[in-house]
Amino acid sequence: YIHDPSEYLVRLTEQCNYLDAVRRIDWSKKLSADCSILDIGCGGGWLTAYLSTFEQVSKIYALDSSKYFLSEMTPQVLPLMGGNAEKVELIEGLFSPLLFEDGSLDVIVASSVLHHADNLEKVLKELRRVLKKDGILYILNETPASGIRHLLSVSKAFAKIFRDIFFRKDKSMAASISSCGYLYDPILGDVSYPLWYWQEAISRVGFSRTEEMNTGLP
């Protein structure tokens, strides 16, 4: 589906409910006039396209590490979603460093992306740096594990690690575990951060959690 814009949108809006979840936010009231937005880890640009339709938005920086997503998918996804391409600037880059001046952005949106950070707190600190003092970070479409669920997944991972050590089973790309995170998919870079660590990291870098939403969506 990542090679066909139409199938990509079906995946995100019908098979998954990323767009439904984002629509639970009243963006017309949340966005200030003439605001600049960074869509970090934008993927195929569906959220960029959606937010570009709001008149308060003057500029959206769509940042992703995938040149393919930026050059092939996003230009096709934008018109399919009725987005305004004139507001969009595509940037190929990583989570850190972000090549923006301190306090230069009004809003940052991160949809189902921050769990790819190998150091969540470092990335959050960088996001805080480039936001204005009254700027807002929206962390969207993340499902942090409870403490118990995270502990169970880590325990299973330890069992597999001991098994591989015992049988001397080599893996060129292996999972890694720390007290606050579990890299469970080394290929995609998916890390399980427990809810308590999300909360700690967000507070430590200087953010104030003003609102939390459970959409009730599966």
Side-chain angles (χ1 to χ4, degrees), residues 69-202:
F69 267 142
L70 294 173
S71 62
E72 300 293 332
M73 291 289 285
T74 300
Q76 298 180 73
V77 167
L78 279 167
L80 287 175
M81 291 193 65
N84 186 341
E86 292 183 358
K87 297 181 180 181
V88 178
E89 181 174 333
L90 305 178
I91 301 174
E92 184 181 356
L94 302 174
F95 288 143
S96 180
L98 295 173
L99 303 183
F100 293 92
E101 298 292 331
D102 294 0
S104 58
L105 298 168
D106 296 292
V107 173
I108 296 176
V109 291
S111 176
S112 191
V113 65
L114 291 184
H115 65 271
H116 290 293
D118 56 6
N119 187 318
L120 179 60
E121 190 168 336
K122 178 182 177 182
V123 173
L124 288 169
K125 187 175 183 179
E126 183 70 349
L127 298 181
R128 185 70 192 89
R129 178 186 69 79
V130 299
L131 271 174
K132 294 179 180 178
K133 287 186 177 181
D134 59 349
I136 301 176
L137 167 65
Y138 289 94
I139 300 174
L140 308 163
N141 292 315
E142 294 283 3
T143 54
S146 66
I148 296 297
R149 187 156 63 94
H150 179 72
L151 184 60
L152 288 173
S153 65
V154 168
S155 299
K156 290 179 182 178
F158 269 118
K160 292 178 182 178
I161 290 171
F162 284 128
R163 177 200 63 192
D164 293 343
I165 291 173
F166 184 81
F167 290 105
R168 296 186 178 183
K169 187 176 181 181
D170 173 61
K171 290 184 178 180
S172 58
M173 297 186 72
S176 62
I177 301 173
S178 72
S179 60
C180 56
Y182 164 33
L183 174 65
Y184 62 91
D185 190 332
I187 295 175
L188 292 178
D190 288 339
V191 182
S192 172
Y193 294 112
L195 180 58
W196 65 265
Y197 181 69
W198 280 93
Q199 295 169 338
E200 288 288 327
I202 288 168

